[in-house]
Each structure stands twice: as structure tokens, then as C-alpha cells.
Amino acid sequence: MTTKIMAFGEVMMRLEASGYKKLEQTRLLEYSFTGTGVNVMAALSKYGYQTSLLSKLPETSVGNAALSHIRSLGIASDSIVRGGEQIGIYFLEHGFGVRPTAVTYTNRKESSFCQSSFDDYDLEKSLLDVSLIHFCGISLAVSENTRNLTIKVAEKAQEMGIVVSFDCNYRPKLWNATGVNARSYYERMLTLCDICFMTEKDAIYILGMETAENELTKQIEDLLVKVLEKYQIRTIAGTIREKKRETEQTIQGFIIQNKTITFSRKHTLTILDRIGAGDAFASGILHGKIASLSQEDTIEFATAAGVLAHTTSGDSPVSTGSEVLGLVHQSSADLER
Amino acid sequence: MTTKIMAFGEVMMRLEASGYKKLEQTRLLEYSFTGTGVNVMAALSKYGYQTSLLSKLPETSVGNAALSHIRSLGIASDSIVRGGEQIGIYFLEHGFGVRPTAVTYTNRKESSFCQSSFDDYDLEKSLLDVSLIHFCGISLAVSENTRNLTIKVAEKAQEMGIVVSFDCNYRPKLWNATGVNARSYYERMLTLCDICFMTEKDAIYILGMETAENELTKQIEDLLVKVLEKYQIRTIAGTIREKKRETEQTIQGFIIQNKTITFSRKHTLTILDRIGAGDAFASGILHGKIASLSQEDTIEFATAAGVLAHTTSGDSPVSTGSEVLGLVHQSSADLER
Amino acid sequence: MTTKIMAFGEVMMRLEASGYKKLEQTRLLEYSFTGTGVNVMAALSKYGYQTSLLSKLPETSVGNAALSHIRSLGIASDSIVRGGEQIGIYFLEHGFGVRPTAVTYTNRKESSFCQSSFDDYDLEKSLLDVSLIHFCGISLAVSENTRNLTIKVAEKAQEMGIVVSFDCNYRPKLWNATGVNARSYYERMLTLCDICFMTEKDAIYILGMETAENELTKQIEDLLVKVLEKYQIRTIAGTIREKKRETEQTIQGFIIQNKTITFSRKHTLTILDRIGAGDAFASGILHGKIASLSQEDTIEFATAAGVLAHTTSGDSPVSTGSEVLGLVHQSSADLER
Amino acid sequence: MTTKIMAFGEVMMRLEASGYKKLEQTRLLEYSFTGTGVNVMAALSKYGYQTSLLSKLPETSVGNAALSHIRSLGIASDSIVRGGEQIGIYFLEHGFGVRPTAVTYTNRKESSFCQSSFDDYDLEKSLLDVSLIHFCGISLAVSENTRNLTIKVAEKAQEMGIVVSFDCNYRPKLWNATGVNARSYYERMLTLCDICFMTEKDAIYILGMETAENELTKQIEDLLVKVLEKYQIRTIAGTIREKKRETEQTIQGFIIQNKTITFSRKHTLTILDRIGAGDAFASGILHGKIASLSQEDTIEFATAAGVLAHTTSGDSPVSTGSEVLGLVHQSSADLER
Amino acid sequence: MTTKIMAFGEVMMRLEASGYKKLEQTRLLEYSFTGTGVNVMAALSKYGYQTSLLSKLPETSVGNAALSHIRSLGIASDSIVRGGEQIGIYFLEHGFGVRPTAVTYTNRKESSFCQSSFDDYDLEKSLLDVSLIHFCGISLAVSENTRNLTIKVAEKAQEMGIVVSFDCNYRPKLWNATGVNARSYYERMLTLCDICFMTEKDAIYILGMETAENELTKQIEDLLVKVLEKYQIRTIAGTIREKKRETEQTIQGFIIQNKTITFSRKHTLTILDRIGAGDAFASGILHGKIASLSQEDTIEFATAAGVLAHTTSGDSPVSTGSEVLGLVHQSSADLER
Amino acid sequence: MTTKIMAFGEVMMRLEASGYKKLEQTRLLEYSFTGTGVNVMAALSKYGYQTSLLSKLPETSVGNAALSHIRSLGIASDSIVRGGEQIGIYFLEHGFGVRPTAVTYTNRKESSFCQSSFDDYDLEKSLLDVSLIHFCGISLAVSENTRNLTIKVAEKAQEMGIVVSFDCNYRPKLWNATGVNARSYYERMLTLCDICFMTEKDAIYILGMETAENELTKQIEDLLVKVLEKYQIRTIAGTIREKKRETEQTIQGFIIQNKTITFSRKHTLTILDRIGAGDAFASGILHGKIASLSQEDTIEFATAAGVLAHTTSGDSPVSTGSEVLGLVHQSSADLER
């Protein structure tokens, strides 16, 4: 039977100015629906898994369009509760060269999801037969309500024996706006999760940890092995980005299991659309775990998935498993020549 | 010197599905900025007046795009205060034939304008040299805050000797949502205004009036002449719509001054975009008043302006004064045959 | 539990010239995926049913896009088998006024579906828990292969106690091209089906029946009641179209059950996109049957669904149940005035 | 061998605002190339004739695009001389309902064509094997230069035994701007042409003729038979338009030969794009003449061609001969019912 | 008199997803018509030659659009036979960075061209006055029918004393699908042709040749000079591509005549649209031959034409001769600095 | 009070082919309005200044669209005179890689502006309260009329004590076409201006100066300090571009005041749209002058503004002051690492 995977989180509308225009230069916007959960599930459904989303959407034409879009990505929508009135929106103006991409959020806190309560969801039914559920740190940040909701859903999932995946996705700006200290919430999620996406920065800035190492890869190994042990996490993964020059970056993935760190080969990036690339990486790690790939194969697959997500339009990854493997092997082929 | 005219009110973003599609059928939206004030001022600037808007917009790329759009309509933006975070948005799905046009509002109460306070505005400066200021009943309905704000600005304008124009624009759905009784607020605005846009329905449903007349035109005359006298309003105007069949409507304007009602000729409508047509009618009445046209000329101009606004895209009227006159005269020509 | 409904049939790509252009006038085409089965299921999923499609699509990027589109319509894709190489395509040039809409088919016989065999499908699994399955007469016409396949699937469905629905959709052009006599195949489907969509023309031209009646409604009643009895069909339904003048048509639905015919009220049509309107009508009848509506309510709902489908873009109906009811009631409201 | 037909005249760029927008409401324009000659030749190439254009275009990317567009219409471009610097442009804003279509010309007099001289063209070579050449009255109006050029080319054509066709296309606005009296130039063309497109208005306003008849069809017959005789023209044809109401017009064609007038049946129009419809009518008459159709068949074909041209986008007719015949016969079918 | 050049081959429809989207991410496709013959002729008509295409297209609106498009490229369509029902289509999804461009073919074997027979064409008439005719190896691969057809047309052309040009365009995938050995067919074409486009890979994989050389340029010289002699070919030309890194390639052309190889300078490529670049190179060689350029000038022109074709949209080259020369000279200028 | 800045100059329509297409490859053009004055004012209004344009536009729908567009950029339109009939147009085909961008001008000399006379403008009123006025050398070149007009307006401005800014913008092609010697006109403008934009090339080719220096930066310093002294100019500024390879350029700004030259840091360019970048640089210098920034801060701001203008669509700069500062500081941040 196909493995069932779920994500819990917000669905947002993405409204982007065409080409490389600023909003004021165009009267046409292209739209789609997104969110960490949507993106990770979209990628996993491309790899052949049965995926679904646990969220809440308004009963309006905008909510209907969101539902239609989510389904088109191959994600089941039966666990999406309907109600409330609004959906978070973000406006996207693509940058070019030295000009950065600009994002304007609107209406996030008033969204159906952000105002949903634990009782809105029928978890017994929704989580039935689910093997793995993915959470995102942004849900912790948005509001007091989603903060508590996220933890309660994660607790319920753990209780039901479901593998819990958590992407730290720490956004200082959102936390500062709330005036709440992020640490205790993150620590709760870390004890609940089996798979965690984080970097050395999260260990330092959220958990207040320190390291005596100087080199970046050493810092990562030192800090995150400690995190792995302290919070009894089975897998920690993340990426290292380096900016080479104006238009050239490199990306390298790492994965830690059983206190051992493995790095992927380093890819040079060509960026079409940066947003959602971290979610593609996460989806690759989850695939590696569920399909019981080796630690090496897992990190190569996940990093290649992340790299490809920079070369496709939209937040949600659209590369199939065989396209990702194509990049994994092309590279090794390149090395063999 | 050119006459300065101002409107006070909300700026909203209009996001419309292309063609006659529903949101879920397209990924492209066309956007513009609108609002009663924007629309009435846009029309008046087409007739050659110096117009400006008193409102509040966020300091974001969306706010910048709104500003740019408003200026492109010929409306001065110096009285638009910047601040807050959001802007109201409405999604538009154009109907076709028997299928009605559908509108989905989002984020209205959280908009910069709806959360603005009296002190945000420098009325002494903004209202300087202004001859006429236009208000809309929707501002009364949206929230407690805008309700009081609108009345205070109208009071200030009256105090400064500025002609006050008020369009009732009664939206029962919005009022019911607030649980507040509309009547006292409307009565306050009626005592403040010199020019009022309303119909017999407003007299009955808002003011609780009654009439013994049976025929519609008689009811209008009976009720609205009473309103004119009771609230000491100089001019009341409005339109009568009749649906002939599926795709055919007629529209006829009326104006009441000195207890005398004058009707325009009846136009048959061909509708491209219905939204904003009432604002075009209002702009025509205001033009007639400022330019001291005769009662007949005023109502013919205003009704023709309203008719033309049904034949142009977007909320904001784009017909010039000479285009409106073209329709006024074409019709009389038609009658002569 | 939600009722499960299925359709068996071809998925085609629709490529349409923008606006009212001919192909040679534009370089932009809008595309979607369609087919009788897709359309009827799309409509039923809008009314809240769990729907799915039994078909075959190639494992190419075009097949993937078809799958994504079908899911976006709310139709489950688990019973869609992958394989073969091609998909039927039709080019659409929208007519205007007296200029008719033009359709150019390509590549139909070579499609994955039209070349699929009975063994490609796992009917035991796909038909499990299905309450009703819908077939279309076009599948009988396209090729010898689909002809036999359709009948075998219908037999299997009947065997499993599933309600069988059949839309005659008689296309003389396709049948003439094959040189095969349609009658015996249609007779086989009539004995297998519980619900049948047909008109007096089908009885005359396919089944070779005759009537002594002169008036159209009498002819329909006479002929189709005989069909109902002869083939032991529970429900027969269809529509009557009348062309009033260049741009005005009327449509009226009828339904026959227990030898009794009921007519809907007559609607005047405004046509945006004619294709798929018959499928919307069929979906309305199926809804009436499953939801056990009265014969009157069923035919009013179905006819209104068909009318609305003329006012929306694309082949697949997109009106919700409440939008259809809106039109049903608006009309009765109109009558009451 | 296929008959060779040619037109002499200006090529203009048409830049149209998308949808029913005014220029200021959009930033997207669709463009094409047009002109009476282009339009008449495009239609005739659709009917299977070998057509070409005698004109002059600049050697710029705009000129290249014009050439490419003209060829795409099936018109040979070997007689188009290259040189000069500019091309006439017109901006088109589509009207809707009571709002008229608006056209803004620019740069016409400075165009390569309008500044071309007789010596630019190699008439011996270009006119070789040509059976018929079409001229347009606008060429007479634009400038002194084109006025003389047109007459010289027509004289040369007559000299070479080529059938000369001339569409009066009288534009008072253009003539008034020049201060030149149109009559003598028109009279010269009338003596040169074999086929002439004109109406009773042309006889009255250009040629200063009078009639004692009251009814329109009688006036046409009276005046144009006189013109036929006076200038020794073989065929005169034209159309009669009647505006029924806001959105409904009728059109009826007439043709005069051997002092006999024949009228086509009256068509009711649905207008998508009015421009170029007269050219489609002219092309139908020319086809009737070249193919030696009967007077009745010629005027029915030409009028149907004109009607269809109202239902297609763009100036240039795109209906094939069989599509025109479809409308001719559909109508007679309609009459038989 | 202008030299007449012809190509024999298939016309395909190219349907491309907008921007860098995958099919499933968009509902808009841009389309054009293409094929090796179309592309080479389009380029040559840009250099001022009289070009035409020998092919077959269906009598449908799609066939009409193809004809119109081909003419717009400056290619004469008189030798295009009409008939059959279909046209090959390919779907294009543009790659970005490390993500490769993806092409999905459909309906190729069923196309009018691929099912056309020798008798469909009137070669005596079509080939009259033609100086050179171009063939493509893909025609050999598609089906038994086109294989034989191509050879028969080439034989006829040789018989009539027309220069025969042949581009090997070896596609192992297509050949493997047929199970036919390519060698004998290629050998036949090599004996028929005067100009051949091939690389060292073709000599090795198609003709089974071997070389003792190690360096690529030496291998090319060794193998292709042998081919030149063995098959009595006057000119062999081809290109060498090197991938420098992710987004950087170089391209260099070579030409062999009289046993002498000449290389062009090496260009660094910036790729907008790779498809059709080989055809632009071929057109440059043909131009060099017809215009009797020196071997050096020929290979510089052809390589520059190929480089420019990477920088323009669409399969068909659109650069003029002077634009190609611009790049030829700019580069030498660059070297002088 | 906000500083008032004005520009005098032509408004042109820019019509660009979509994507990287040539005109003949598309039927869609995007349009905007531009001109040196428009661009410099647009940028300055983004930095918070009150800007306006002194120009002339026709009273047509094209002129209205221009006015609307100019206002949308935040530029006041009260000093734009209406009249005349035409507007200059340029067609833009974006280059890609080695393929250069192509521009085709049309109709320039016949534009309302180019045919406007000194008396068309009410300079007393328009220049009132203006602190600075910007001129462009292209106005000197276009025609005798604009040549004299520009100088008269500059003289009037100087007379009224307004700071005069002048961008040499020397276009040899335009001057050669007129056959007039540019030098005396430029010398007159140099004596009138306080701020001048020029490079060493202008000194050499326009003013006929010479230098003994070999290195470019030395040549600039040598020549332009002499110009500064000779013509009593307070500030001279310009940029140095270096082409590194195919797709990489660097740009560096310089400013000369009190005989001292200051260079900005060198930026590496990524080019989206080159046109208008020089105007962005000029706007930055003007901002530095008006806001009394240091010489270093001024040149860094101006160069960063120029760099950003290469990364945005359209001629008119759209970056805000804080976005420009973002690039200024990011770079210094980059240096600190």
C-alpha cells in the first residue's frame, strides 16, 4: 500500500508581478497557492506518495480556488476543514541581479487557518493510517493560537505513533513582532519530532548554544550532534549556502544520524525562483527516510531536489523523482569523465 | 482657478479573473485600485476638475502601486497619509448572461484606512481651498472607527464652509454584521450634507419612512421631497433601474431641488462592467452643481455618465466630459427622428 | 458516507484560440482537458459527491498535465491507468454571431484510451464501492476496440450491482466513418443501463422507430416511453432546443420515469461556451436520482445546470449546487412577481 | 492558371487596446497590418486567387514585420518596394454598446507609401499577367502626391488592359483638411474604372447629383444607374445599413449592371469588429465578376462576406469561400422552413 | 534572377509552455510551425533567396494556420500539397540552468506528410528552376514510407541536376524504435548529396568507421575527409560543441572541401532557445555555397548564424544576413583589440 | 517645503516586443511613455521630490494615455501643454546575449513637442518656485526648432535663478542627419548650466578638445576639469563602462567639483533593460546636489541608482531612495567581510 504522508500548516495565496516588474509597473498578477506544508506534500506526491494537507480554508471562491490548486498538485484535500473568512496573501516582486526579490505579506493573522482551533479538526480521522506528519516553525511564530495548536497536533500525532517531522524555519521578524520567546516552543517541538530541519544558526539563536569550532562544517557537526542527542532526534538535516559572486551561489546538504554527519556534493545554483527550495530539500530527506535510502543517497537526493527547485517557477516543487535522480546521476557522471 | 474637489474614503484593490472565468479556472488576475471616492474623483478629473483623495495607505509595494494607480487617474495624492499595513482587497468574477457577477471581499477591516484615526489626517491643510467633499455610506458601515471618523471629517468640512456630498450606498449586509443601527448615523450625515444620493428604498429602510403612493416615481417624489425638507438638503439625486429581460435593463436618473423632481430620459443599458456606475452618476450630478448647469442638463449629463460607465472596464469611470455630452446629444438626436 | 460516482471514457486536450480568433490569427492557445466523463464528474464533484474517472493516459508531461487538471476539478485519479503514448486533441475556434464555432480533432484513434484493452483496468478494485457509473455513446463510435471495451465494462458494472448511466451522444459522422451499424451496440447499452440520456432523434435514427405524433413534445413522449418499456430503463432524460433568432435560443429539459414525462420551465440562453452543456444537464439528472429528488425538482435542477454551463468558460461545468439552485429559484421567484 | 489580382495602396499598422479598454487602461497592445488593399487581397486569397500588393514599406524592423504579416495573409510581396522611413499607424479602442469605437491616426502623411513616387514602382513588371487591380479613394485624399500617383497607376493599368476596380471610400474629413475639391479626381477615376463601389451619398456629395426619388432603394437605383451610364462603368455595387436599435443593425447589398439593380437578402448583424467589412464586401463582388457568377449569386456572396467580416477579429477578412457560401446557403435554408 | 531553393520535409506544430513553466503549471501555450526544412528555408529567405517547401498539410484550420505561418517566414507555399488529416505536434517545456529542456512528441507517424506518397507530389513542376534542395535525416527515420519517399525525391532531384543537400540529423531513438538498420539508407543519401552536414559521431555510429586519432579535431578531419572521398561529396560541414560549465558552452564550425578542413573561430554561447540552431548553421553553409563565398567566409558566416539562432525565440532562425555579418565582424573586431 | 524639480523635453511612446522576440514574431506589444525628462523626474519623485514636466502632448487618446502614465510615475502634469497631433514612437526589440537590442524610431520630428514653439509654454507660471530644471542634448539634435527652443527655455530658467542641469547625450547619428554642427549649441548650453553630464568622449568629439593622457581616468580628469573651468560649471558627472566579456560589464561613476574628481566603487552589471540607466545616474547626482550630500555619497548614490536601473523593466527608474541606499550599503558591507 502506498505510504500516507501529511502536513499541517497554512495555505497562502501567492500573487506575483509578471516578469521582473514591480507591482506598480504591471496590472497583471499570476497567482498560485503555497505554504511549507503544500510545498513539501507537492514534492512527495511527485515521488509517488499519497499525501494530504491538514489545514483550514474559507468557504469562498478564493478558498475553492485554493482547494482546486492543492488538488492539482496531487495532494488530497479531505482533511482540509472549511470555514472562517480569509486567506493569507503575499505579493511577490521578482528581483534581478543585484536587485533583491521583494515580498509583501497581507492578512496573515486573520486567515482561516491562523484563527482555527484544535476542535476544528477531526484528528482521529485525519491522522488514521498516516505514517509521517510534517510541521513548520512558522506556525509557531504567527500567533499564540497557531503556536499552541501546532504543539497540540504534534502531541496527538506522536501519541498515535506517527513519525513527526519539523522544519525550524526560524523567522526572527515574526517572533520579535509577538514579543514571545521562541525557545521553549521550539524545545517542545524538538522533543516531539523524529526528523528535524535546522542549521547551526538555529542552535545558536533559538537554543542559545555555543561552539568552540571555527570552521562552518565543524560548527554544524558539533552543535547539531549535541541537539540530536539532547532532544533524542533521529535525523537532523539542513543546507549550507555560499554566495560566490553577484549571480552565483553554491549549495551543499548535510544529514546527521547516529551522531554521524554526511555531506552531499556541492552544487552551483542558477536561480529562477528561490522560494520553496528549502521545502524541496525537506521532501527529499523525508523520501530518503521513508524509502530507507542510505544516508549518502538520501542527502544527494535531497540536495538535488533542492537545487532543481531553484530552477522551476512557483513555490511548490514540480520535479519528479526521476528528474531528481537525473541530476544526482548526471553529477556523478560528470565526475567520472 | 480650477475648482478643487475632494473625496474621503477607502482605497481597495480589485483583483479580477480574466474574461468570464471563475477564480479556479485561471491563474491570471488583473488588478486595479478603486473605492467610491477614487471613482467619483477619477470621473471629475476627466471633466477637468482638480481632484484629490483623503485616505490612508500602507507604506508597502502594494500601497505604492495604489498611489501610482490613483495618480494615473488624475487624482492628486498629497492628502493620502501613509501608514498601517494592509489594504482591503476584493476578488471579482465577472458573470455572464443569467450567471451573476461574484465578489469576494477580504481584509477590509484590517486596512490602513479602516484603522486610521482622526489625528492621522491634517485636515486644516488638506481641506484648504477645497470647494466640495464627497462621502460614502460604506464608510459608515465598515467599522465603529470609520463610522465616527467619517462624521468628524464631515463636521470639520461643514465647519470650513465646504459643500458636503454624501452617497447613502446602504449595504444591509455590512450593517447587520456590526449589529449597529444605521439610522442615527445616516441622519447625522443627512444634516451635514448639501447634496445627497439616495432612493426611495433608503428613505424606507434606513429612515423608516412610509408613503401612500403606489407608483415608483410618485413614491420617489413623495419620500425624497420630505427628506429634502426635513434634513435641509439642497439636492437629492438617484437612479431607477428596470430589468426588461435577461440581458436588457433600463436606467433613468432623477434629481430633486427646491421640492421639484426632474427625470432624465430612459436609457437602455448594455453592460460590460457594472461596478462604479453609481459613482459615475454621482460625478455627473456634482459636475452639474459646480458648473451651475440647469436641473435638466444636470440630470441628463449624470445619467449619461452612469450609462457610459456600464460600457467601460474597471470600477473607475474613464469617459471624458465630451464623451458624456456625445451620448446626451446623440439621444436627443435619436428622439428627433 | 459520501456516494462514490465514476465515469468511464476518454480524456481529450482542448486547445482554444484566444478570444474570437481563428487559429491563424493568434499564436496563443489556452488549453484544458475534457471529455464527457470528465465533465459529468467535474459537475458532480461540485455538488459534493466523491467522483473518479476510469481511463488511460500516457506517461508523458502531457499525461501528467491531464492528471493534474482532472484532480483540480475534484475528480480522483486513482483509477486512471498510465501507459500508451498519445492523447486526443481538439482545436477550438470560438464562433461569433452567425459565424459558427469550429472544432478540429486530431489524433483521437491513436490515444492511450482508444487503444487500451479490458485487461489494462483493474475493475474489481476500481469499481469497489462505486454506486453509479456513467458511459458515453462516443466511446461506442470511436473504434472497434473502445466499442467492445465500453460494453464489457458496462456488463461488469451491472454484474456488480452498480447503477449504469448512458448518454447516447450519437455522432453520425463518426459512425459513418467506421461503416459499422450503430443499432446493435446501442441496443446492448440500453439493456444494460438504468438511466439513459436521449431524444426522439435517437429513437428514430439509431433504433429505427416511428411515431404518428406531429408535435415535438408528443413525439418525445410517444417514442421515449416505448424505449423505456422495451429496454427496461428506469429514467430517460433529454433537452429540447429551439432557435428563436440569430443570437437567441431556448432550452427545456424533460425526464421520463414510470411512463410519465415531466418538462422543466423553458430558459432563454445566453451562450458563452456551448461545449459541455449536455454533460452539465446529465450531471443534474444523476444528482436528482442519487439524492432522491422529486421528478420535478430533478428536471428543474438539471436544466438549470445545463443553462449555467452555457455561461461559463470551458467544457467542464464549474457551477456549484447552490449556484444551480440559485437559478432554479430565481426563475420561480420571477414567476411569482 | 490561377487569376492574378493586385491592389495598390497604403499599408498601415493597427495597434489595438486589449478587450474593451481605453488606451490609458492597458499597457498591452495587439498589432497587425492593414489597409484597403491588404484587406481586399487577403479575402481574395482566401477564395483561392493569387493576390499581390503594390505598395512601399520602410526597410526597418517594422517594415519587415508588415511584410511578414502581409505574406501570412497569402498575399505575394514581390511588388512591395522597400524604402522611406515610416509607416502610418492607427490606434484602436473598441467601443461597447452605446460607447463608440475610437480611432486615432498618426504619422500617415510621412509614411513610405504616401511619400512614394511613380518612379519607385516598376509597373511593367508588377502589372504583368495581372487581371484586375483594386484602388481606394483614401489614396486620393491623403496627399497631393498619392492623389496623382493613384491616377497614374490606374491609367497605366487601363492602358495594359487590366480590369480596374475602385472603391470610392469618401472621407470628407481628409478632403477638407487638404482644401482640395474631390470631384475632379473622383471623376477621373470613374472614367478609368470598370467596377466601382459607391452609394447614393457618393453621387450626391462627391459628384453633386440630385434625385427626385424619396425612398432609399429608389434613390440608389436612380442615381447610380446614371453614374453607370455617364462614366461607362460596367459594375457598381454597395451596401445599405439600417440601425434597428442600440445593438442591432441590418445590412443589404446591391449591384448594378446593364442598368439593372439586384438586392441581396437583408442580414441582421452581430458586430465583433466593424473595420474592414466593406473590403470583404468588395472582395465578394470581385470574386463574382472574375468567376462569372450570376448577378444574384454575386451580390449574395458579397453581402455574406461582408456580414461575416463583422464577426471576425481584425481588419482583414479571414473567412474562406466555403465559409461565405455556408452563410449564403444557411440563409436560404432558413427561408425554406 | 533570384536563386530558388527548396526543402523537402515535415512541418510540425510546436506548442510551448510559457516562460520556464512545465505544462502542468500553465494553461497558456504559444504555438508556431517548424521542421528542419521550414527552418533552413526561413533562414535563407532572410538572406534574400526565393525559398519554398515541398511537403503535405491537412485541409483543416490547423493546416491553414501552418500555411499562413510558413508564408509569414517568407517561404513560398505553392509546392505544399493539401490532404490527409493530421499534423505532428511537439510540446516544449523550456529548461533552466541544470534543468534540461523537455520535448514530448505526439502524432508524428499519422501526419499528412508521413503518410504522403510519391504520387502526391508533382515533382516536375515543383522542382522546376530549383537550384538546390535540402533533405533531413529525420525523414529517413520516421517511417518506412518517408524513408523511401525521401530517397525517391532525392533521386529525382539529382536526375534533374539540382544540388542536393543532406543533414544527417541521426536520431538513434527513432531508428531503434523501427528496428531498421540506418546505414544503408544513409549511404544511399550520401551518394546522392553534394553537401552534407555531419560530425565524427555520424561516421562512427552510422557508417561504422574508425579512427586512430585521439584529438577531436583530428578525428573529424580523418573520418570526414574519408567520407568526402568515398561518397564523392563536395562539401561536408558540422559543429563542435564544448560544455565549459553549467551555463556556458562554446561552439565552433568546420567545413571540408577538396580534402581541406577549415575551422571557424570559437564562440561562447548564451542560449535562449537551442532548437533550430543546427538549421541556422546549415543555412549559412548553403548561403556560402550559392553565393560562392570563400571557405573561410562560409564557415564564419554559418557559425555566426548558428550562434545567433541560440539567442532568438522559436525554432526558425530570424536573423537577417546583415545581422549575421554583424556578429562575424564584431568578433574579428574583438580579436583586434 | 518639498523642493520642486522640473524637466524640459520630449515624451515618447515605447512599444516593445514581448520577451526576447523580434517584432515579426509577436502580435503583442507592451507600451509605456518615456523620455530623458520623464525618466529623471520619475526617479526623483521616487526619492521624495515634487517633480513636473514641461512638454507638449496631443489632445488624443494617445496623448491622454501619456498623461496618465506620466502621472502614475509621480510627475505633475500641469505644465504639459496640449496640442498638435502626434507623439514620437520607438519600437524596441530586446537583444539577448551577443544579439544586440534594436530600436526603430518613427514619427519623431512630427511630434507635438518637436513642433512646439516658445509661445506654447507659459514659462513664468511653469517655472515659478522651481529649484532645478533638467535638459537633454537630444532636444538640441532633433530639429532646428527644438534646438532653439531648448536654449531659450534654458536662458529663461537661468534668468529666473533656477539651477540648470544638462545631460549632453550626444547622438552623432541625429546630428549628422541635420547637417548642423553641434558644437556651438552645446557650448551655449554649457555656459547656461550648473550641472552637466558628460564624458571624455563629449569633450573630444563635440568640443574638439585633446588630451595628452593615456589612461582613461586620467583623460577624464584632464579634459573635464578643463571644461568645468572654461564654462564655469559647478558639477560635471558621468560614468565609465567596461565590457568584461559577453555578458559582463562593469560601471563606475565619477563626479567633478572644485576641480576634484571622485570615483565611485566599480559595480558589476546584470542587465535586464539598459535604456534609461543614464537617466537614473543623473537623478542620483541631482539628488546629491539638492540634498547637499558629500561628493563621495553623491557619486555612490548616483552610481548605485544607475546600476539598479539596469535591473528593472522599462526606461523610467522605479527604485526608491531606500532601495538605492540598500545597494550602496550592501556593497560596503560586502567589502567589510
Side-chain angles (χ1 to χ4, degrees), chain D residues 13 15 22-32 60-62 64-65 68-69 72 85-87 89 91 93 102-110, chain F residues 13 15 22-32 60-62 64-65 68-69 72 85-87 89 91 93 102-110:
Chain D
M13 186 181 224
L15 278 163
K22 294 186 120 187
L23 276 178
E24 66 198 61
Q25 293 182 295
T26 181
R27 298 188 185 171
L28 278 181
L29 300 174
E30 195 164 350
Y31 83 96
S32 52
T60 62
S61 64
V62 183
N64 291 344
S68 170
H69 188 89
S72 79
E85 280 183 25
Q86 301 185 21
I87 188 167
I89 296 177
F91 292 89
E93 293 167 309
V103 162
T104 306
Y105 287 97
T106 191
N107 210 23
R108 202 158 190 183
K109 278 180 209 155
E110 296 81 23
Chain F
M13 186 181 224
L15 277 163
K22 294 186 117 186
L23 276 179
E24 66 198 61
Q25 294 183 295
T26 181
R27 298 189 183 170
L28 278 182
L29 300 174
E30 194 164 350
Y31 81 97
S32 53
T60 63
S61 63
V62 183
N64 290 344
S68 172
H69 188 88
S72 78
E85 281 184 24
Q86 301 184 23
I87 188 169
I89 297 178
F91 293 89
E93 294 166 309
V103 163
T104 306
Y105 287 97
T106 191
N107 209 25
R108 201 157 191 184
K109 279 181 205 152
E110 297 79 23

Side-chain angles (χ1 to χ4, degrees), chain E residues 211 213-224 263:
Chain E
T211 178
E213 301 286 349
N214 286 316
E215 204 200 325
L216 181 60
T217 55
K218 291 294 175 198
Q219 292 181 332
I220 289 172
E221 185 169 5
D222 176 40
L223 289 164
L224 299 189
F263 291 94

Side-chain angles (χ1 to χ4, degrees), chain D residues 25-57:
Chain D
Q25 293 182 295
T26 181
R27 298 188 185 171
L28 278 181
L29 300 174
E30 195 164 350
Y31 83 96
S32 52
F33 292 92
T34 178
T36 305
V38 173
N39 299 338
V40 174
M41 291 306 103
L44 284 163
S45 90
K46 283 280 172 193
Y47 308 155
Y49 297 100
Q50 219 178 314
T51 62
S52 69
L53 192 71
L54 186 64
S55 191
K56 188 169 178 184
L57 283 173

Side-chain angles (χ1 to χ4, degrees), chain C residues 32-268:
Chain C
S32 53
F33 293 92
T34 177
T36 307
V38 172
N39 299 339
V40 175
M41 291 307 101
L44 284 163
S45 92
K46 282 281 172 192
Y47 309 155
Y49 296 100
Q50 217 177 316
T51 62
S52 69
L53 192 71
L54 186 64
S55 191
K56 189 170 177 184
L57 283 174
E59 280 258 39
T60 62
S61 64
V62 182
N64 290 345
L67 215 67
S68 170
H69 188 88
I70 289 165
R71 281 173 181 152
S72 79
L73 297 170
I75 303 171
S77 59
D78 356 359
S79 297
I80 296 178
V81 180
R82 303 300 295 272
E85 283 185 22
Q86 302 185 21
I87 189 168
I89 296 178
Y90 84 86
F91 293 89
L92 178 64
E93 293 167 310
H94 289 285
F96 186 91
V98 296
R99 181 166 60 84
T101 287
V103 163
T104 306
Y105 286 97
T106 191
N107 210 24
R108 202 157 190 185
K109 278 180 207 151
E110 297 78 23
S111 76
S112 293
F113 174 75
C114 287
Q115 301 198 338
S116 70
S117 68
F118 189 71
D119 295 339
D120 282 343
Y121 305 97
D122 180 350
L123 292 185
E124 292 292 340
K125 190 179 154 202
S126 289
L127 296 179
L128 192 73
D129 293 332
V130 167
S131 306
L132 185 152
I133 183 164
H134 184 74
F135 296 90
C136 165
I138 297 173
S139 301
L140 293 184
V142 182
S143 73
E144 185 65 22
N145 185 48
T146 54
R147 195 144 43 233
N148 296 325
L149 184 56
T150 304
I151 288 170
K152 282 168 86 175
V153 174
E155 286 169 348
K156 179 73 188 176
Q158 197 204 39
E159 220 181 282
M160 289 174 72
I162 298 168
V163 175
V164 171
S165 164
F166 176 60
D167 189 334
C168 287
N169 256 332
Y170 181 57
R171 301 277 165 94
K173 223 160 118 183
L174 283 176
W175 283 98
N176 294 344
T178 63
V180 172
N181 191 309
R183 183 162 171 177
S184 63
Y185 297 96
Y186 269 93
E187 291 200 309
R188 181 68 190 122
M189 284 305 288
L190 292 180
T191 61
L192 289 168
C193 76
D194 302 282
I195 304 167
C196 180
F197 298 91
M198 70 190 302
T199 66
E200 83 294 349
K201 284 200 195 68
D202 297 317
I204 297 167
Y205 298 120
I206 310 177
L207 304 176
M209 294 170 67
E210 289 179 1
T211 176
E213 300 286 349
N214 286 315
E215 204 201 326
L216 181 60
T217 56
K218 290 294 176 198
Q219 291 181 332
I220 288 171
E221 186 170 4
D222 177 40
L223 288 164
L224 299 189
V225 168
K226 281 186 210 150
V227 171
L228 190 90
E229 292 187 292
K230 179 169 177 193
Y231 300 95
Q232 300 285 339
I233 301 169
R234 265 189 283 162
T235 305
I236 292 181
T239 57
I240 306 168
R241 279 169 186 278
E242 274 177 275
K243 195 177 173 185
K244 288 296 183 186
R245 38 179 186 144
E246 221 77 289
T247 54
E248 195 175 315
Q249 292 185 27
T250 61
I251 194 168
Q252 187 176 27
F254 64 82
I255 183 169
I256 305 173
Q257 290 181 135
N258 299 318
K259 306 189 195 174
T260 314
I261 191 161
T262 307
F263 291 95
S264 78
R265 72 181 174 95
K266 204 179 275 190
H267 292 259
T268 300

